[in-house]
Amino acid sequence: MVVLVRQDADPSAPLGMQRRAFWVRRARTPAFAGFHAFPGGKVDREDEQIPVPGLPADQARLHVAAVREAFEETGVLLARLPAGADVSGLRSRMLAQELSFAQVLQESGASLDAAMLQPISRWVTPTFAPLRFDARFFLARLPEGQQAQVWQGELERGEWIAPDEALRCWEAGEALLHPPALHVLETLMRVPDEALLERLSDPPHVVDFVARRIEFQRGIHLVPLLSPTLPPARHTACYLIGDRELLVVDPGSPHPEEQERLHDLVRDLVAEGRRVRAIVLTHTHPDHVGGALAARQALAAPVWAHPKAAARFPGVDRALRDGELLELAGDFPMTLKVLHTPGHASDHLCLFEPRSRALVCGDMLSGASTIVIDPPDGDMEAYLGSLQRLSDLQVRSLYPAHGEVMPDGPQRITEAIAHRRWREEKLLRVLAAGPTTLEELTARTYDDAPQAVLPLARRSALASLDWLERRGRVVREGGRFKLA
């Protein structure tokens, strides 16, 4: 990753306004979709064949990859160029795969210079992520006479931004940041030039290059915990919400080592002057409550949940009602609105933060798969009604219990509703061929799904049939279903 910076013309301005960094927003790609980040990508085999004077081969390949990716994504060529050289046409040809990067260097007369990129840090993606990266970060100054410009593709957009403005966007939930980007921007805002490289190279709360604290927007920490959840997910996301006062949402792991990891992190935050206000359960499925009683004891905090949860799970201390506002004090105060969102479970809650329009959504949506609706507690009509309610809120970012965080909330909710409608229409088309069993109906309606998920798909198919039956469009005869 390349942190491309330039200096503002006014040296009397605060550091956070003097500097500009070029950040980008990633499109719907397999990794980091919708997040703001810095230009970069993976090492290609060709990168290993291009030497960099003064660097050993293992460092040269990283340098070359950084220069190539920065050129592809921004048009900035971090190399020594002949006076008056114009490389924009070469960028177009390289992206069209008409030229290799080695040929770009040759045709432009460019020469690589190790001094133009300063290595600053290494970050390894945590184990919970479906895609893991071993990322190296470099600091580079914008070469004189060059301009940065994003062409849409893997990136939606890019712009020069002052660090303090970038962090304001992060605080407002307008830009989600991974820990490396947050560390870089906070350092650029506060640290003078003479200490910049040292501070960039020494990020806090990092062990073996893995971040121990993940705060995608201010006031929402993610703590993924191994849990007995449904594949392809392996973790349930626990969220720590708030500034001085914290809510611990869905401590779902039954494993003592995972519970202790969560408790240690919370204790670290408490030692910094915070306190735990409560433990909140989005619903009472086992992968969401597996560590709730342990957290209740270890953190000396009450458990809050929907009124129906009290009858299902021991230890609920307070019932949360739909529409209730939870006020969290601190230097960055937060207000969370409780939303009762039945469908996946009748006791399901979401927490909505109106200022940033962030939604901690439990199992209403998943960044990893389609949500299972399992009757009788699961209800497809209620689920679609809850999704429509969330759509009406114009949620910005979705924080699910499983899979990736989703900055494009309205689009994801719309897609989820459309997918359920499409699956229902497909089910009706299968039934149009004649009466059939639930097993046969599921196999034909979910013919695009792996065999391993068909038992779960059968439950969602039954939920759709139950709703169709209530609407008078489907009837049951013995063990078979047919159109009414």
Side-chain angles (χ1 to χ4, degrees):
M1 297 291 179
V2 178
V3 181
L4 189 63
V5 296
R6 63 177 173 83
Q7 203 78 5
D8 190 272
D10 182 5
S12 64
L15 280 176
M17 292 299 294
Q18 284 184 34
R19 295 169 174 150
R20 296 288 186 276
F22 193 81
W23 72 352
V24 298
R25 178 181 162 101
R26 302 218 164 266
R28 286 285 289 272
T29 52
F32 311 142
F35 275 72
H36 282 72
F38 299 110
K42 65 180 182 179
V43 177
D44 285 349
R45 182 173 300 178
E46 177 194 308
D47 299 333
E48 301 177 358
Q49 310 303 317
I50 301 175
V52 181
L55 291 182
D58 60 332
Q59 296 179 31
R61 61 192 284 273
L62 299 174
H63 181 104
V64 173
V67 174
R68 176 183 52 75
E69 287 285 346
F71 183 56
E72 290 179 357
E73 294 191 343
T74 71
V76 173
L77 186 55
L78 295 167
R80 303 298 177 187
L81 287 169
D86 182 3
V87 296
S88 59
L90 297 177
R91 180 190 183 194
S92 300
R93 292 169 62 191
M94 188 178 78
L95 291 174
Q97 299 184 333
E98 298 172 4
L99 290 178
S100 67
F101 186 54
Q103 290 171 321
V104 167
L105 296 174
Q106 183 178 13
E107 291 201 18
S108 65
S111 58
L112 297 176
D113 183 349
M116 294 188 70
L117 271 73
Q118 297 290 328
I120 53 174
S121 59
R122 177 184 178 187
W123 297 77
V124 177
T125 311
T127 56
F128 73 86
L131 294 175
R132 298 193 69 197
F133 301 92
D134 185 346
R136 314 301 174 95
F137 279 68
F138 297 85
L139 181 69
R141 306 282 176 178
L142 177 69
E144 187 176 350
Q146 295 198 47
Q147 295 182 351
Q149 184 180 28
V150 164
W151 295 345
Q152 285 192 347
E154 290 186 6
L155 305 180
E156 286 183 1
R157 59 180 180 268
E159 63 177 336
W160 290 102
I161 191 165
D164 65 341
E165 175 62 17
L167 291 170
R168 186 205 63 76
C169 293
W170 168 75
E171 285 191 345
E174 297 168 3
L176 302 194
L177 299 173
H178 286 95
L182 178 58
H183 167 64
V184 165
L185 290 167
E186 288 182 332
T187 305
L188 288 175
M189 187 176 78
R190 299 187 178 100
V191 179
D193 285 349
E194 58 270 20
L196 189 60
L197 288 177
E198 180 181 357
R199 290 287 295 276
L200 285 171
S201 302
D202 187 25
H205 313 304
V206 172
V207 177
D208 295 330
F209 310 110
V210 177
R212 290 189 67 246
R213 296 190 186 183
I214 303 172
E215 193 175 9
F216 290 144
Q217 73 177 70
R218 184 168 179 182
I220 304 181
H221 284 83
L222 166 65
V223 189
L225 302 172
L226 281 170
S227 67
T229 190
L230 296 175
R234 297 175 58 244
H235 298 76
T236 297
C238 176
Y239 292 100
L240 309 180
I241 307 178
D243 182 42
R244 189 169 69 244
E245 292 186 313
L246 295 174
L247 297 181
V248 180
V249 181
D250 284 354
S253 178
H255 307 304
E257 63 276 12
E258 290 291 277
Q259 294 173 2
E260 193 58 28
R261 183 166 64 85
L262 170 64
H263 302 164
D264 284 346
L265 174 57
V266 175
R267 290 184 188 113
D268 288 346
L269 294 172
V270 169
E272 296 172 5
R274 314 186 200 208
R275 74 176 184 93
V276 179
R277 176 94 172 272
I279 296 156
V280 177
L281 307 178
T282 61
H283 59 300
T284 52
H285 286 173
D287 56 328
H288 292 254
V289 302
L293 293 181
R296 183 174 183 256
Q297 181 176 3
L299 305 177
V303 174
W304 299 348
H306 187 268
K308 287 187 176 182
R312 301 176 176 184
F313 182 75
V316 174
D317 300 289
R318 174 182 166 187
L320 295 176
R321 306 287 179 174
D322 182 64
E324 185 173 348
L325 298 180
L326 307 179
E327 305 283 351
L328 300 175
D331 295 332
F332 188 75
M334 298 179 72
T335 299
L336 298 173
K337 185 174 184 178
V338 177
L339 304 176
H340 180 214
T341 49
H344 174 68
S346 60
D347 61 357
H348 197 284
L349 297 175
C350 292
L351 298 176
F352 180 58
E353 204 282 300
R355 177 172 52 187
S356 68
R357 304 206 308 278
L359 185 80
V360 177
C361 61
D363 279 354
M364 275 302 300
L365 295 107
S366 168
S369 61
T370 302
I371 294 295
V372 176
I373 310 300
D374 187 6
D377 194 51
D379 184 287
M380 189 64 74
E381 179 181 9
Y383 178 67
L384 286 170
S386 293
L387 282 179
Q388 187 58 56
R389 183 184 185 190
L390 299 182
S391 179
D392 294 342
L393 288 174
Q394 286 296 298
V395 170
R396 177 184 282 129
S397 296
L398 298 169
Y399 289 88
H402 309 292
E404 64 181 0
V405 172
M406 297 168 276
D408 50 346
Q411 182 177 350
R412 296 296 186 110
I413 295 170
T414 298
E415 289 173 356
I417 295 172
H419 176 78
R420 297 292 180 173
R421 301 291 190 192
W422 169 78
R423 191 69 78 180
E424 179 185 279
E425 289 301 318
K426 191 173 181 181
L427 185 152
L428 290 170
R429 288 197 300 271
V430 173
L431 285 174
T436 186
T437 65
L438 177 61
E439 289 74 14
E440 293 169 348
L441 184 58
T442 302
R444 293 169 63 187
T445 304
Y446 289 81
D447 55 355
D448 55 332
Q451 285 288 322
V453 307
L454 288 184
L456 299 176
R458 195 175 300 135
R459 303 308 300 167
S460 289
L462 179 59
S464 292
L465 290 166
D466 286 345
W467 188 29
L468 287 166
E469 187 176 24
R470 293 197 298 268
R471 289 148 63 195
R473 300 190 65 184
V474 167
V475 295
R476 307 180 195 219
E477 288 186 349
R480 301 171 76 83
F481 295 85
K482 68 177 185 178
L483 295 179

